[in-house]
Amino acid sequence: MLGGMLQFTAFMLFWAISVKIIDLGNLNTLAVLILLSLCSIVQFLGSSCVTGQVFATAVRNFPAQKGRVVGLIKGWVGLCGAMYTQIFVGFVPVDLDDQDDPLWLYFCLVAAICCISATFVPSQYIRVHAPATSLAVFEANVRRRVRLGYGILLCMGITCITSALIEHVVSRMVLTGLAVIMICLWASPVILAWDGLDVADGGGGVLDIPLIGEEGVGGQKPASLTIKKMIKTLDFWLFLWPCLVLIGGGIGLTTNIAQMFGSIDSSGNVVALTFFSATQSLSRVGAGGLCDVLRRRGLSGAVVVLGGLVFMLVGYACFVVNTEGLLFVGVLCAGVGFGSAWPVMVVVVAELFGEEHLGGNYMVYDGVASAVGALVFGKFIPEEIYDAHTEDGETDCYGKECFRLTYVIIVGLVLSAVVSVSILIKRIHKKGDKF
């Protein structure tokens, strides 16, 4: 609830400043920049409050299916940008071809309303249920809700993509209708709290054996470490680097995708970005479920990170060739790798460092990987190489050399991350009940 209020406040300030309800005309440029930066900090703090608590709660309450539940939540996170945008397009009559249309500034107002609706309002209706009569009954009830959640998420994804693809060729009424459908789908997870989804028996549940998240690989629950103690361990650094590379590779792609396609005289970046969004969202769901499958076989979720790195490696290897067709293939592969990182980070951090301080521990990974990945993979590396191959007096670079060295460097970094996570996996399964 606190996180939602902070985000609501930040977005409302952004909106009020942008449409000049709050007039900053007497302030110099530096003062305005500082004020907007403070708003961004408030927005980030609100997001961190929500993110840390949501995933810590999910892991603690669904120990046997933490991967699936976290993956489902991360799938929704992956779609939220498209969802907000298409709801805004459906209700605000902006000129889709004119990015300078002043009505676009009202997106911050819509985002503020969405934030408060998705946090403050539901928090007033949270119920604490009595524990189920047996583990089998509890697991069966969770499985029913997760499957229904998958269905709702799939419907939302299809609706968002459909709205984005046809927004230039249909009437305003159609877009508004799709926006109404998205709002209904957005609110529909409330039915997951319906008692009618409960079952009377376990139905032969398949998750009735000890899992890593509950008792550790060798039968002992992993110790819970604070942030200070966590960052002193070798496992922290061995896992942080692969996460940073996966997330950085995805952020670098989305940041530079227009220039990547433009450099080879292709206009396919919009379609490619849509495919990337859909692929990484599906990957979030699948990776979370795969963590549970591996845990039932005594394997750590870090194995999924290794698989994600392989997809990222294949993706950037396709980019090195730098033809339009292989750019699309690379975008899809990189989307799988990028999406897989998000739910697995939550699960593996809980495996390695316990659940008591999971909210703070996870946010260290989330914050560091996102910030450093955005700066290094999204800005410093590609910007320097792109500018070096741009003709004097020009702002755009054309030719395969504009990004080729960037791709080669990232391929090398991904290979180093493969080595790092491989060492971590070996350490995890060697020490077994000691972590």
Side-chain angles (χ1 to χ4, degrees), residues 11-24 36 101-109:
F11 279 121
M12 286 297 292
L13 286 173
F14 278 129
W15 170 70
I17 292 171
S18 63
V19 299
K20 297 186 177 180
I21 292 177
I22 298 177
D23 191 357
L24 303 179
L36 293 177
D101 187 336
L103 285 177
W104 280 110
L105 299 174
Y106 281 77
F107 181 82
C108 290
L109 177 60

Side-chain angles (χ1 to χ4, degrees), residues 296-314:
R296 293 201 299 273
R297 290 163 173 76
L299 299 174
S300 168
V303 175
V304 182
V305 175
L306 180 60
L309 287 168
V310 171
F311 274 99
M312 188 66 72
L313 181 63
V314 173

Side-chain angles (χ1 to χ4, degrees), residues 25 47 60 74 86 91 104 110 123 126-127 142 149 161 169 179 186 236 263 294 296 304 308 361 384 389 402-403 435:
S47 175
R60 290 168 184 162
K74 283 292 187 181
Q86 294 309 313
F91 285 101
W104 280 110
V110 173
S123 70
I126 293 176
R127 295 182 298 162
V142 172
I161 292 173
V169 297
W186 185 27
F236 170 78
S263 66
L294 291 174
R296 293 201 299 273
V304 182
N361 291 346
E384 290 295 323
H389 291 89
C402 298
F403 283 97
F435 85 97

Side-chain angles (χ1 to χ4, degrees), residues 165-376:
L165 292 177
I166 67 174
E167 62 183 17
H168 285 88
V169 297
V170 296
S171 66
R172 170 63 52 184
M173 184 176 296
V174 173
L175 292 176
T176 302
L178 289 171
V180 171
I181 293 173
M182 279 183 273
I183 290 176
C184 293
L185 289 170
W186 185 27
S188 64
V190 70
I191 66 175
L192 299 181
W194 179 41
D195 293 337
L197 292 173
D198 293 338
V199 296
D201 57 64
V206 296
L207 302 179
D208 55 355
I209 59 175
L211 306 178
I212 288 178
E214 298 166 316
E215 299 186 5
V217 171
Q220 181 176 327
K221 187 175 181 179
S224 291
L225 302 182
T226 62
I227 294 176
K228 185 177 180 180
K229 292 180 179 179
M230 177 183 70
I231 63 176
K232 294 179 180 180
T233 66
L234 177 59
D235 289 346
F236 170 78
W237 298 102
L238 287 173
F239 188 55
L240 179 63
W241 178 241
C243 292
L244 192 155
V245 170
L246 273 178
I247 293 172
I251 293 176
L253 170 61
T254 56
T255 302
N256 298 284
I257 194 168
Q259 289 79 14
M260 288 167 56
F261 277 83
S263 66
I264 61 169
D265 199 25
S266 170
S267 59
N269 59 289
V270 176
V271 175
L273 189 58
T274 300
F275 287 162
F276 177 85
S277 299
T279 303
Q280 64 98 6
S281 182
L282 291 174
S283 177
R284 292 176 186 229
V285 176
L290 185 56
C291 285
D292 290 340
V293 173
L294 291 174
R295 214 164 50 246
R296 293 201 299 273
R297 290 163 173 76
L299 299 174
S300 168
V303 175
V304 182
V305 175
L306 180 60
L309 287 168
V310 171
F311 274 99
M312 188 66 72
L313 181 63
V314 173
Y316 272 88
C318 291
F319 295 158
V320 171
V321 180
N322 214 3
T323 63
E324 185 176 35
L326 285 178
L327 279 183
F328 276 102
V329 175
V331 166
L332 294 176
C333 291
V336 173
F338 176 71
S340 69
W342 296 102
V344 179
M345 274 200 302
V346 180
V347 174
V348 176
V349 170
E351 289 179 6
L352 293 176
F353 310 114
E355 300 175 4
E356 184 177 350
H357 307 285
L358 177 59
N361 291 346
Y362 164 69
M363 287 310 301
V364 171
Y365 278 88
D366 187 303
V368 172
S370 297
V372 177
L375 288 174
V376 175

